[in-house]
Amino acid sequence: MESGYVTTPFGRRPMSLGMLASQQLAETIEPGMKRSKWKLFRAICEARPALGVTDRALTVLDALLTFYPDDEISEEKGLIVFPSNAQLSLRARGMTPATLRRHLAVLVEAGLILRKDSPNGKRYARRDRAGAIGEAFGFSVAPLLARAVEIESLAAQAVADRELLRVTRERLTVCRRDISKLIAAALEEGVSGNWEGISAMFRALLARIPRVATAEDLAPLLDEMGLLRAEIVNMLERRIKAKKIDANESQIEHHKQNSNPDSLNELEPSFETKQGEKAAADNDPNAGPSDERRLKQQKPSGGRSNRVGGAADPGAGPGLKSFPLGLVLQACPSIPDYGPGGSIGNWRDLMSAAVVVRSMLGVSPSAYEEACSGMGPENAATVIACILERGGHINSPGGYLRDLTRRTERGEFAIGPMLMALVRANGPTARHAS
């Protein structure tokens, strides 16, 4: 194409700034650049949505490229094709002249071809005495060569997006199947849980899947379904572990009754825990007599009322005593930052802060609900505060909380030693050392 040459359309067709920009772009072809016309055409087909062309327009472009004499497009071999409308219609699967003109206009507007009209609007070429083409009038494919890198990049992105959509759809299908069959298994096995609510949540997620979806539409739905599946799997795994524990305890109990029916350990299953609590209080140089008495006086709350800061504690879990709020705040100085207004003045504030910290630590709602049920809401909030204080030493806060809940239900866990250890760690001596 001649440098600086501007061609305007023949007849009533108007000139536009887009045509001028396409002509200027066609002049930027790098010297020696060449591309296989059919590979480039396939890239255009891949990038069709991004280029804004229709499939019928691509049919016309396919027909135009058949008139280019060589397989590779290059400036050395010329960039103009000049078929008549009759010939072009035949190679475009018999497309009517009016439809042909409309789709040629689409290709020009998309910046894939240029018109180079002759003075009378006809398409032809002038040849020299040796038969070489001196000047031609018709359609220039120079924009294809000038935009080859851009077109190939768009095609690669389209292929990557399509592959991502395929993989996302497959994962979503597998996740849907897993959730559906796991819920059915849970109902069939009689596993305890709010399976009606979980099923309703699953149906709500399914209703949000659009009929025609992109990978961006499906990604958040896949994440939510993945979390729901993980929660269901956790519930089923807890049931399996509970069965194994019950079976092991039954075997151990049977062995104890056969070997030593008068065993003292059988009569006092919480003896080891209470001894550990007493040792923690005895070895604590900062624990006063009142602290030691509180550790010694832990007793089950079933049928009795525990005292929290001088008030009855209806929220303590079975066999687990709540401690004064002041002691909890002394052991866990980081938790007030998450309370309402950045402070904690009562147990309600501590429980509100624990909900915030629970989410921040990645502890699932079900794990925290189980802790509240097994320990009591105040003790669960206290444990969350302790986990926050020891965050750097706990890899999985959610798993750690579930383990403490199970140990509480078996009578193997007490909050006292944990609190007193943190009091010592955050005491004056520790602060002076740091």
Side-chain angles (χ1 to χ4, degrees):
M1 186 171 183
E2 299 177 14
S3 178
Y5 180 80
V6 175
T7 178
T8 57
F10 172 79
R12 296 181 180 180
R13 289 191 298 269
M15 182 66 179
S16 68
L17 292 179
M19 292 181 185
L20 183 60
S22 295
Q23 293 179 28
Q24 292 175 343
L25 176 63
E27 296 175 6
T28 62
I29 299 174
E30 297 180 3
M33 187 175 184
K34 56 181 66 177
R35 284 292 190 278
S36 167
K37 63 181 181 182
W38 298 123
K39 288 183 180 179
L40 193 55
F41 178 73
R42 282 195 292 271
I44 293 171
C45 293
E46 293 283 3
R48 181 177 66 82
L51 294 172
V53 292
T54 63
D55 54 348
R56 299 295 299 279
L58 290 182
T59 300
V60 176
L61 180 60
D62 182 24
L64 274 176
L65 290 176
T66 61
F67 289 98
Y68 192 83
D70 296 292
D71 182 65
E72 286 190 336
I73 302 174
S74 65
E75 283 190 291
E76 292 78 9
K77 298 174 183 177
L79 297 171
I80 305 293
V81 291
F82 40 90
S84 66
N85 279 350
Q87 292 175 318
L88 190 56
S89 176
L90 287 174
R91 297 198 187 182
R93 280 63 169 174
M95 191 176 290
T96 62
T99 304
L100 189 65
R101 286 192 296 270
R102 186 169 65 252
H103 291 302
L104 283 170
V106 170
L107 293 173
V108 172
E109 187 177 351
L112 296 179
I113 62 173
L114 286 175
R115 291 182 183 273
K116 186 178 179 183
D117 289 342
S118 65
N120 62 1
K122 301 294 183 179
R123 300 173 201 140
Y124 58 88
R126 289 199 182 98
R127 300 178 183 270
D128 57 21
R129 292 183 178 181
I133 296 176
E135 187 175 15
F137 297 97
F139 297 103
S140 172
V141 294
L144 295 182
L145 200 56
R147 298 180 63 186
V149 175
E150 175 196 355
I151 291 170
E152 290 164 353
S153 176
L154 290 173
Q157 184 62 48
V159 172
D161 291 344
R162 188 170 63 247
E163 179 64 16
L164 177 61
L165 178 60
R166 183 189 66 78
V167 171
T168 304
R169 283 185 178 278
E170 288 179 352
R171 291 177 178 174
L172 188 63
T173 299
V174 171
C175 196
R176 290 172 59 180
R177 182 186 67 200
D178 291 348
I179 292 174
S180 177
K181 295 198 173 185
L182 288 172
I183 291 176
L187 293 175
E188 185 177 350
E189 296 288 339
V191 179
S192 60
N194 184 18
W195 297 109
E196 183 177 350
I198 291 175
S199 298
M201 188 183 306
F202 180 46
R203 289 193 297 270
L205 288 174
L206 293 179
R208 288 168 50 193
I209 300 176
R211 293 179 63 87
V212 180
T214 64
E216 290 75 13
D217 297 329
L218 298 180
L221 290 172
L222 179 59
D223 290 341
E224 292 184 47
M225 282 198 182
L227 291 174
L228 182 60
R229 177 175 59 183
E231 194 65 27
I232 294 172
V233 170
N234 284 337
M235 296 172 70
L236 297 179
E237 286 180 346
R238 288 198 299 272
R239 173 62 179 266
I240 294 172
K241 291 178 181 178
K243 284 186 175 180
K244 290 181 178 179
I245 291 172
D246 291 343
N248 291 338
E249 288 180 348
S250 176
Q251 293 176 1
I252 293 172
E253 185 71 17
H254 181 71
H255 174 73
K256 285 182 177 179
Q257 289 176 355
N258 290 340
S259 60
N260 189 4
D262 298 327
S263 171
L264 180 62
N265 289 335
E266 185 178 339
L267 299 176
E268 294 183 356
S270 300
F271 177 76
E272 182 178 284
T273 300
K274 293 181 180 178
Q275 288 292 336
E277 293 166 3
K278 181 177 184 305
D282 292 342
N283 296 330
D284 179 14
N286 297 318
S290 61
D291 291 333
E292 185 173 349
R293 273 197 303 275
R294 281 194 296 270
L295 291 173
K296 289 180 178 180
Q297 291 173 356
Q298 293 192 41
K299 41 189 176 179
S301 61
R304 302 182 186 180
S305 63
N306 291 322
R307 312 294 291 178
V308 182
D313 174 23
L320 202 62
K321 174 181 172 59
S322 293
F323 288 84
L325 180 61
L327 180 62
V328 175
L329 298 180
Q330 180 184 356
C332 308
S334 299
I335 193 67
D337 295 337
Y338 302 91
S343 63
I344 291 177
N346 50 51
W347 281 104
R348 183 179 296 275
D349 291 347
L350 178 64
M351 288 186 281
S352 298
V355 172
V356 176
V357 172
R358 186 273 306 165
S359 177
M360 183 187 72
L361 294 176
V363 177
S364 67
S366 64
Y368 187 61
E369 288 174 6
E370 289 176 7
C372 290
S373 176
M375 303 178 182
E378 295 174 352
N379 284 328
T382 301
V383 170
I384 287 290
C386 293
I387 292 175
L388 173 66
E389 206 64 32
R390 299 181 56 203
H393 305 284
I394 299 174
N395 294 328
S396 175
Y400 184 65
L401 181 62
R402 289 185 189 277
D403 181 63
L404 293 183
T405 302
R406 288 192 290 268
R407 289 170 57 190
T408 299
E409 293 170 352
R410 298 196 298 266
E412 298 174 358
F413 170 67
I415 298 179
M418 177 186 287
L419 283 176
M420 297 313 298
L422 289 175
V423 168
R424 289 194 299 271
N426 295 322
T429 304
R431 287 196 296 270
H432 178 73
S434 61

